[in-house]
Amino acid sequence: SRLAPDGGACPQCRAEISFDPKTHALDQGLAAKIEEAVPPDELEARRAHTTATLEKMAAANSGPYPLFVMRGSERGFAPGATVSLHFFEPRYRLLARRAWEGDRRFLWAQSEPTAPGEAGLQPQAALLVVLESARFRAGGEADVRGRGEALVRLGRSYVE
């Protein structure tokens, strides 16, 4: 059995574990052991590959993305979870169309976004969903299916 199946939660208390790999502090002791064990040219190649991978991920996940707001199951609101939704409200039908015709991603939040910097409020989490299929009905309603890719923190949001 895997203790933390999504890799983003504490296996004991299930609290979210999040950090930015580009700014996270380096463990100097571990870095020294790696430098002893790995030849310098291979170490440099690994560093270059990791840097390129992180930059690619940051560019792919920079948004802005359409935001869907609906209280849902905590179990289904996780990276790796299958997301199946039926959009019937005009604003969400538009969201489905834009996401499907764009990069096939949207954010799912479980409550309305809060204003950034409001006293006492923590940054709100949202699930980044990658669409795998979409069916658009004659009346404009949409059935979408995708997978949760990552829990992200909502930044600035706006209504069109």
Side-chain angles (χ1 to χ4, degrees):
S1 79
R2 294 173 62 190
L3 295 177
D6 66 2
C10 171
Q12 187 169 13
C13 70
R14 302 291 183 217
E16 181 182 344
I17 300 171
S18 63
F19 67 95
D20 182 350
K22 292 183 352 184
T23 59
H24 190 71
L26 180 66
D27 181 325
Q28 296 298 330
L30 182 58
K33 289 179 182 180
I34 291 171
E35 288 177 8
E36 287 176 20
V38 179
D41 56 335
E42 185 179 341
L43 188 60
E44 192 54 41
R46 287 183 184 185
R47 284 183 180 141
H49 175 73
T50 299
T51 300
T53 301
L54 287 172
E55 288 172 357
K56 183 179 175 184
M57 287 172 58
N61 294 320
S62 63
Y65 296 112
L67 178 63
F68 171 62
V69 179
M70 182 187 82
R71 185 93 180 122
S73 164
E74 291 294 325
R75 171 180 269 157
F77 193 76
T82 298
V83 175
S84 296
L85 298 165
H86 173 75
F87 292 128
F88 55 90
E89 289 184 43
R91 62 184 171 162
Y92 294 133
R93 293 182 340 203
L94 179 60
L95 175 150
R97 179 68 66 186
R98 284 183 175 173
W100 185 251
E101 292 175 355
D103 67 356
R104 300 196 175 178
R105 296 169 187 239
F106 70 92
L107 294 172
W108 174 13
Q110 294 206 347
S111 62
E112 291 289 333
T114 55
E118 276 189 41
L121 295 177
Q122 295 296 316
Q124 183 176 351
L127 182 66
L128 179 62
V129 178
V130 178
L131 293 177
E132 296 169 349
S133 65
R135 191 177 112 221
F136 297 93
R137 299 176 185 210
E141 295 180 7
D143 296 310
V144 299
R145 185 175 173 89
R147 187 155 309 279
E149 185 171 270
L151 282 176
V152 298
R153 296 276 179 211
L154 287 180
R156 195 169 47 98
S157 62
Y158 61 92
V159 176
E160 286 185 347

